[in-house]
Amino acid sequence: MAAPDARPSSAGPPPARSLLLPLLLVLLLAAYSLPADSAARPSSNSNPRPAFTPPLLKRHQLRRPSSSSAELVAGPANASTKPFTAHYFPQLLDHFAFTPNASTVFRHKYLLNDTFWRRPGAGAGDDGPGPLFVYTGNEGDIEWFATNTGFMFDIAPTFGALLVFIEHRFYGESKPFGNDSYRSAETLGYLTSTQALADFAVVIRGLKRDLGAEAAPVVVFGGSYGGMLASWFRLKYPHVAIGALASSAPILQFDHITPWSSFYDAVSQDFKSESSNCFGVIRAAWDVLDERGATDKGLLDLSKLFRACKTVKYAYSIRNWLWTAFTYTAMMCKTIDAFPAGADVLEKAFAAASLYYNYTGDQACNKIEDGDDPHGLDGWQWQACTEMIMPMTISNESMFPPSAFSYDDRSDECFQSWGVRPRPHWITTEYGGYKIDKVLKRFGSNIIFSNGMRDPWSRGGVLKNISSSIIALVTEKGAHHLDLRSSTKGDPDWLIEQRRQEVEIIQGWIDQYHQDMAETSS
Amino acid sequence: MAAPDARPSSAGPPPARSLLLPLLLVLLLAAYSLPADSAARPSSNSNPRPAFTPPLLKRHQLRRPSSSSAELVAGPANASTKPFTAHYFPQLLDHFAFTPNASTVFRHKYLLNDTFWRRPGAGAGDDGPGPLFVYTGNEGDIEWFATNTGFMFDIAPTFGALLVFIEHRFYGESKPFGNDSYRSAETLGYLTSTQALADFAVVIRGLKRDLGAEAAPVVVFGGSYGGMLASWFRLKYPHVAIGALASSAPILQFDHITPWSSFYDAVSQDFKSESSNCFGVIRAAWDVLDERGATDKGLLDLSKLFRACKTVKYAYSIRNWLWTAFTYTAMMCKTIDAFPAGADVLEKAFAAASLYYNYTGDQACNKIEDGDDPHGLDGWQWQACTEMIMPMTISNESMFPPSAFSYDDRSDECFQSWGVRPRPHWITTEYGGYKIDKVLKRFGSNIIFSNGMRDPWSRGGVLKNISSSIIALVTEKGAHHLDLRSSTKGDPDWLIEQRRQEVEIIQGWIDQYHQDMAETSS
């Protein structure tokens, strides 16, 4: 649980602090939320201080990349130009049990855009109806993902594809118990990846039946946690989806598959290669922050320096606020390096973080301690306390304060917060991961794992081809599932080429499918 | 629900009758229990007559095949020569949820035989430890399957294999709620195939860790429902098992994949080709039985004729008793044909059935209405009311009374009996089945589907090769997973050859595994 053992303990509410760091990363690295080594909601009894809340992330804070910085994670562009209709499927609460509870039905939301679809029947070509391109929703409102996955809209006309975005259970409007869904483990217990995958299978099958499109091939798409789900879906439900594009999917960030320090090593490396001065400033900032934040007077000064909308109660809040920004991109190093050498490190840090939080300068103040959760991050905290145990550590050489990870600590914190204990080895039992190249060399097919090396999550992804049809597309400059964003005029060549390859491979899957179907069964 | 619409309704307890037929088949066709179109436990309130109980099947009634009839299903031979030790794994109640209940732990039984195992370390060869041969237990005590799967013992020395037999949850000693496990849907709800597969994965992983045998390849074996589980396990957990031998696994006996009449058509065809007289006698017997069984006097006479230990209360019990025998094998036709033409059809039928139930002649009477469930068939009834909906019909041309199938009827009966409604399309959603040749042509590997055409369950199996490593081994004369039995001196050449091929293919998987592991990760 990334217990900051080497740090002074005065900086913030102890149980929450170790949980917050990765959560912040999650939020902003992903631009929209993504998996992380985040975790427990502190029990309100265990600590007199305010309960931990997820960091503020307003959608307007997510910016489109400029033409020269396409590797930045993009914001919700062209939302208004991506029309879809909302639908609700009567979904089973529990696919894997038949207890009386299990058969409870809830409204499971999905979105459709059939503008480009080659419908079954008259309009369809020799190959029958156009494919279904299905986004396997991750932890948040499905509109958010539909709006931010412009790639699917961009390529739909070429394929005559029906676009389907399926919400992940317990997020957005797909809450099985309505407002009570997050009440306790009794209700949240049904928020698992396996149930979500089964949901997708059931919705897709029902939808194809209702549309008379049984013959249409299905390709699944997803980014970040959604990318993990897309790749797992292809592996577990090959009879439902003929292939998967899994963008920035850290499916190997579990157990001991990927070194625990690799994520933060990647961030540090990125900054160091950008500017050793910048690296040093950030590295120095944490101690200074803790020191000044140790008194009420200090906190008042810090609040002014960081233009907090309300006086900050814990230095730890500022720490989280900075942490998020610094994990996001090394581009802000230019701002830091522009300061005279003797300037205050926190002033430098604030200026750099402002570039991230307030790029346009139109925010009068920063909501450093506000809680706001537009993407349902509470749900992700639950997932990080149950299945999604992605251990991360920070080494002494990092620009972040060193931090360890302990399964026991995570377990205790989760039990205290949610009344649940993680099953830290379940993901690798259910989905594999160890020696994935050997296992999938002769098993499975039709998966693209795309990753950008500017994205520290890439370190937990599949970075090498596994077989002739389980492919790794890796870009040196790519950021977190940038390939899934809408194309823009300023897209660099490597990004255009990456997307071209993705289209070509997907076209190959669909052609192969039609060819196989045309053959008589042997 | 195979409602015998065309039959007189006076013969037995209505809700039970349509359920019993396939259940009987299950029992004896399989020699040990197997999947069937069986179903609901009649509610004791809905009918004043005695509650339905599964048919009697004493183990001693299962005979070894004679040397000239190896296609007969074999009995529990050499039980005493197959030593194993029993172990118990702390198993999770629910792998796919995190409700407070889900984390309940129960004692999950498995058996080991390490007589032939090439252990890790000193004794192991260049390829490391010998493989784990794991039987994925079906619906019954695991000892029963260990005792009756001599093939694994026979080939273990060649492979230096560790033999593992894992019990299926809710059977044998692996009852999550002890004696209360079958109390209601609240407890039984956790009896599902998906949970069972996850159980297997967890046990195998834990066992390998405890034995220091992480490097050992795992091959899964199973017959009948166990064969379905073995093939599904390879498809869902390729990172745990490198291959599967699925013997007589009717994974296509769901939905509309296989014609609903194919099972009984196969039985009828078998009898007709043996003797048209025999076919006619059996076909005629049902009406005669119903007619005579319509009065108390008639039932008394029938009880004498059939040497019932107790006077039979319902003609339907005799019907079930005969039905089972006649589904079992057409070999008894010799007995029927030996009678003079004018003899009573029920006398003929009794003589033929006696060949099956009382081959050695040492039974003084027949327990026609006794309830006895050595193989936990109650559990299978639950499964047949939830996931395992295998529709079967009987056509007018059959030697059995015609019968229809209705999803609605099945659902209502199950609801009445267990308080649960089936999910009739779930199996094909979770595991596929439609166009399996197309789906698995380019996905998955290393599965042997073995089937014998004398076994009517073969009609719901995979009977053609799907790819170079998803193989169908079909024998014309084979019976229900005969290949998994111990070899005997009397085995016919085709059976010897079938087993030889299985060994050769499995050896190929293991060689390939070691070769892949020896290569540096690319």
Side-chain angles (χ1 to χ4, degrees):
Chain A
M1 180 43 58
D5 301 330
R7 307 290 309 154
S9 61
S10 61
R17 58 190 294 182
S18 62
L19 305 170
L20 188 51
L21 307 188
L23 235 172
L24 284 159
L25 292 182
V26 165
L27 273 172
L28 291 173
L29 242 190
Y32 44 87
S33 44
L34 58 61
D37 175 38
S38 69
R41 180 180 60 179
S43 136
S44 54
N45 302 326
S46 65
N47 199 306
R49 298 181 184 185
F52 164 74
T53 51
L56 176 71
L57 177 70
K58 295 285 192 208
R59 293 184 190 192
H60 66 261
Q61 291 176 336
L62 298 168
R63 301 182 320 275
R64 288 292 301 163
S66 71
S67 58
S68 61
S69 59
E71 70 271 23
L72 267 179
V73 175
N78 308 329
S80 60
T81 65
K82 306 270 188 286
F84 33 70
T85 52
H87 305 261
Y88 299 86
F89 188 91
Q91 189 62 271
L92 269 182
L93 179 61
D94 191 340
H95 301 281
F96 307 108
F98 284 82
T99 54
N101 259 356
S103 297
T104 303
V105 169
F106 69 95
R107 279 161 53 91
H108 185 189
K109 185 176 183 179
Y110 63 97
L111 307 175
L112 291 183
N113 176 310
D114 60 1
T115 312
F116 313 107
W117 194 32
R118 198 170 60 245
R119 293 176 167 282
D126 291 345
D127 283 344
L132 275 65
F133 284 176
V134 177
Y135 188 93
T136 50
N138 20 342
E139 71 288 20
D141 297 357
I142 192 60
E143 270 90 355
W144 180 246
F145 300 106
T147 302
N148 286 279
T149 312
F151 177 65
M152 289 171 66
F153 289 85
D154 290 346
I155 68 174
T158 307
F159 288 93
L162 175 68
L163 297 176
V164 187
F165 295 84
I166 312 181
E167 198 158 64
H168 192 297
R169 57 166 55 202
F170 283 86
Y171 295 97
E173 290 184 66
S174 301
K175 303 218 172 76
F177 303 92
N179 290 338
D180 292 334
S181 297
Y182 280 64
R183 201 180 43 200
S184 71
E186 200 74 58
T187 50
L188 270 169
Y190 300 98
L191 166 50
T192 67
S193 62
T194 47
Q195 299 282 0
L197 294 178
D199 288 344
F200 298 148
V202 169
V203 169
I204 292 170
R205 202 176 172 190
L207 184 60
K208 287 178 74 171
R209 187 193 55 226
D210 293 349
L211 295 170
E214 276 93 345
V218 173
V219 178
V220 288
F221 297 72
S224 196
Y225 172 50
M228 295 159 63
L229 293 173
S231 66
W232 290 337
F233 191 78
R234 168 61 183 159
L235 288 173
K236 295 285 191 183
Y237 296 89
H239 47 287
V240 181
I242 66 164
L245 170 54
S247 181
S248 302
I251 59 169
L252 307 180
Q253 192 72 47
F254 295 92
D255 261 1
H256 289 272
I257 304 173
T258 300
W260 292 3
S261 68
S262 62
F263 183 97
Y264 284 106
D265 286 350
V267 178
S268 288
Q269 185 186 317
D270 202 22
F271 274 76
K272 208 180 256 174
S273 68
E274 188 82 14
S275 153
S276 65
N277 171 63
C278 174
F279 178 91
V281 166
I282 296 170
R283 188 177 159 91
W286 314 108
D287 277 352
V288 177
L289 181 64
D290 284 349
E291 211 171 285
R292 294 197 203 162
T295 66
D296 286 349
K297 169 72 170 60
L299 281 171
L300 195 65
D301 291 346
L302 284 174
S303 299
K304 283 179 191 160
L305 171 58
F306 284 88
R307 299 173 72 173
C309 297
K310 292 181 197 163
T311 301
V312 167
K313 295 192 186 107
Y314 309 105
Y316 203 79
S317 304
I318 299 173
R319 177 189 169 116
N320 292 336
W321 191 80
L322 286 176
W323 190 293
T324 300
F326 295 152
T327 313
Y328 181 55
T329 172
M331 289 191 60
M332 59 186 66
C333 277
K334 288 196 181 71
T335 307
I336 287 180
D337 289 347
F339 274 82
D344 181 60
V345 289
L346 291 189
E347 276 186 48
K348 293 180 194 178
F350 171 68
S354 293
L355 190 73
Y356 171 70
Y357 285 114
N358 191 14
Y359 187 70
T360 54
D362 57 3
Q363 279 183 212
C365 63
N366 295 305
K367 293 185 178 173
I368 291 176
E369 261 176 2
D370 260 356
D372 186 9
D373 183 12
H375 309 124
L377 256 281
D378 262 348
W380 185 259
Q381 288 178 72
W382 166 265
Q383 293 191 257
C385 267
T386 50
E387 293 180 321
M388 300 296 159
I389 313 301
M390 305 166 104
M392 286 188 185
T393 58
I394 303 180
S395 68
N396 288 326
E397 286 70 41
S398 174
M399 66 180 201
F400 294 102
S403 170
F405 177 88
S406 148
Y407 282 115
D408 288 344
D409 289 352
R410 169 74 67 98
S411 182
D412 289 344
E413 289 172 24
C414 289
F415 188 74
Q416 201 175 31
S417 303
W418 299 96
V420 75
R421 292 202 181 271
R423 299 176 191 161
H425 310 296
W426 166 244
I427 288 289
T428 52
T429 299
E430 177 66 9
Y431 303 114
Y434 284 103
K435 296 187 193 297
I436 193 172
D437 54 331
K438 314 284 193 190
V439 171
L440 298 186
K441 182 181 179 182
R442 301 177 195 283
F443 185 98
S445 56
N446 298 2
I447 305 176
I448 302 169
F449 290 102
S450 67
N451 276 290
M453 296 308 286
R454 285 281 173 93
D455 168 17
W457 286 109
S458 66
R459 303 309 193 272
V462 174
L463 298 175
K464 286 178 180 168
N465 289 350
I466 292 177
S467 69
S468 63
S469 74
I470 302 184
I471 301 291
L473 293 184
V474 180
T475 58
E476 195 194 330
K477 296 184 179 174
H480 204 58
H481 52 71
L482 182 58
D483 49 336
L484 293 188
R485 301 291 178 141
S486 293
S487 66
T488 65
K489 282 186 185 172
D491 287 339
D493 288 346
W494 57 262
L495 179 57
I496 294 169
E497 170 60 14
Q498 182 184 24
R499 290 186 180 133
R500 190 198 61 74
Q501 287 182 53
E502 289 170 356
V503 167
E504 184 178 282
I505 292 168
I506 293 168
Q507 185 67 62
W509 297 342
I510 293 173
D511 292 346
Q512 188 73 74
Y513 170 83
H514 288 305
Q515 195 177 312
D516 287 348
M517 286 296 157
E519 284 170 14
T520 327
S521 290
S522 60
Chain B
M1 179 42 58
D5 301 330
R7 307 292 309 155
S9 62
S10 60
R17 59 188 293 182
S18 62
L19 306 169
L20 188 51
L21 306 189
L23 235 171
L24 284 160
L25 291 183
V26 165
L27 274 171
L28 291 174
L29 241 192
Y32 45 86
S33 44
L34 57 60
D37 175 36
S38 69
R41 181 180 60 180
S43 137
S44 54
N45 302 326
S46 65
N47 199 305
R49 298 181 184 186
F52 165 74
T53 50
L56 176 71
L57 178 70
K58 294 285 190 208
R59 292 182 190 194
H60 65 261
Q61 292 176 337
L62 298 167
R63 300 184 319 278
R64 289 291 303 163
S66 70
S67 59
S68 61
S69 60
E71 69 272 23
L72 266 179
V73 176
N78 307 328
S80 60
T81 65
K82 307 269 189 287
F84 33 71
T85 52
H87 305 262
Y88 300 86
F89 188 92
Q91 189 61 271
L92 270 182
L93 179 62
D94 190 342
H95 301 280
F96 307 108
F98 283 81
T99 53
N101 260 355
S103 298
T104 303
V105 169
F106 69 95
R107 279 161 53 92
H108 186 188
K109 185 176 184 180
Y110 63 96
L111 307 176
L112 291 183
N113 176 312
D114 61 0
T115 312
F116 313 106
W117 194 32
R118 198 170 59 246
R119 293 175 167 282
D126 291 345
D127 283 344
L132 276 64
F133 285 176
V134 177
Y135 189 93
T136 51
N138 19 345
E139 70 286 22
D141 296 359
I142 192 60
E143 271 90 355
W144 180 245
F145 301 105
T147 301
N148 286 279
T149 311
F151 178 65
M152 290 171 66
F153 289 85
D154 290 346
I155 68 174
T158 308
F159 289 93
L162 175 67
L163 298 176
V164 188
F165 295 85
I166 313 180
E167 197 158 66
H168 191 297
R169 56 166 54 201
F170 283 86
Y171 295 97
E173 289 184 66
S174 301
K175 302 218 172 76
F177 303 92
N179 290 338
D180 292 334
S181 297
Y182 280 64
R183 201 179 41 199
S184 70
E186 201 73 58
T187 50
L188 270 169
Y190 301 97
L191 166 49
T192 67
S193 62
T194 48
Q195 300 281 0
L197 294 177
D199 289 343
F200 297 148
V202 169
V203 169
I204 292 169
R205 201 175 173 191
L207 184 60
K208 287 178 74 171
R209 186 194 55 228
D210 292 349
L211 295 170
E214 276 93 345
V218 173
V219 177
V220 288
F221 296 73
S224 196
Y225 171 49
M228 295 159 61
L229 293 172
S231 65
W232 291 337
F233 190 79
R234 168 61 183 158
L235 289 173
K236 295 284 190 183
Y237 296 88
H239 47 287
V240 181
I242 66 164
L245 169 54
S247 181
S248 301
I251 58 169
L252 307 181
Q253 193 72 48
F254 294 92
D255 261 3
H256 288 272
I257 303 173
T258 299
W260 291 2
S261 68
S262 63
F263 183 96
Y264 284 106
D265 287 350
V267 178
S268 287
Q269 186 187 316
D270 203 20
F271 274 76
K272 209 180 258 177
S273 68
E274 189 80 16
S275 152
S276 66
N277 171 63
C278 176
F279 178 89
V281 165
I282 296 170
R283 187 175 158 93
W286 313 108
D287 277 352
V288 176
L289 181 63
D290 284 349
E291 211 171 287
R292 293 197 205 163
T295 65
D296 286 349
K297 168 73 169 58
L299 282 170
L300 196 65
D301 291 346
L302 285 173
S303 299
K304 283 178 192 163
L305 171 58
F306 284 88
R307 298 173 71 172
C309 297
K310 293 179 197 164
T311 302
V312 167
K313 294 194 188 108
Y314 308 105
Y316 205 78
S317 304
I318 299 174
R319 178 187 167 120
N320 292 337
W321 191 81
L322 286 176
W323 190 294
T324 301
F326 295 153
T327 313
Y328 180 54
T329 171
M331 287 191 60
M332 58 186 67
C333 277
K334 289 195 181 72
T335 307
I336 287 181
D337 289 347
F339 274 81
D344 182 61
V345 289
L346 291 189
E347 276 185 48
K348 295 180 192 176
F350 171 69
S354 294
L355 190 73
Y356 172 69
Y357 286 113
N358 190 14
Y359 187 70
T360 55
D362 57 3
Q363 280 183 215
C365 61
N366 295 304
K367 293 186 179 173
I368 290 176
E369 260 175 3
D370 260 357
D372 186 10
D373 182 13
H375 308 124
L377 256 283
D378 262 348
W380 184 259
Q381 289 179 71
W382 166 266
Q383 294 192 257
C385 268
T386 50
E387 294 180 321
M388 300 296 158
I389 313 300
M390 305 168 105
M392 286 187 185
T393 57
I394 304 180
S395 69
N396 288 326
E397 286 70 41
S398 173
M399 68 179 200
F400 294 102
S403 169
F405 177 88
S406 150
Y407 282 115
D408 288 344
D409 289 352
R410 169 74 69 99
S411 182
D412 289 345
E413 288 171 26
C414 289
F415 188 73
Q416 201 176 31
S417 304
W418 297 96
V420 74
R421 291 201 180 272
R423 299 176 192 161
H425 311 295
W426 166 244
I427 289 289
T428 52
T429 299
E430 178 66 10
Y431 303 113
Y434 285 102
K435 295 187 194 297
I436 193 172
D437 54 331
K438 314 285 193 190
V439 171
L440 298 186
K441 181 181 179 182
R442 302 178 193 284
F443 185 98
S445 56
N446 297 4
I447 304 176
I448 301 170
F449 290 102
S450 67
N451 275 290
M453 296 307 285
R454 284 282 173 93
D455 168 17
W457 287 108
S458 66
R459 304 308 192 274
V462 174
L463 299 175
K464 287 179 180 169
N465 289 350
I466 291 177
S467 69
S468 63
S469 74
I470 301 184
I471 302 291
L473 293 184
V474 180
T475 57
E476 195 194 330
K477 296 184 179 173
H480 205 58
H481 52 70
L482 182 59
D483 50 338
L484 293 187
R485 301 292 178 141
S486 292
S487 67
T488 66
K489 284 186 183 170
D491 289 338
D493 288 346
W494 56 261
L495 179 58
I496 294 168
E497 170 59 16
Q498 183 185 23
R499 290 186 180 132
R500 191 198 60 75
Q501 288 183 53
E502 290 169 356
V503 167
E504 185 178 282
I505 293 168
I506 293 167
Q507 186 66 62
W509 299 341
I510 292 172
D511 291 346
Q512 187 74 73
Y513 169 84
H514 289 304
Q515 196 176 312
D516 288 347
M517 286 297 157
E519 284 169 15
T520 328
S521 290
S522 60

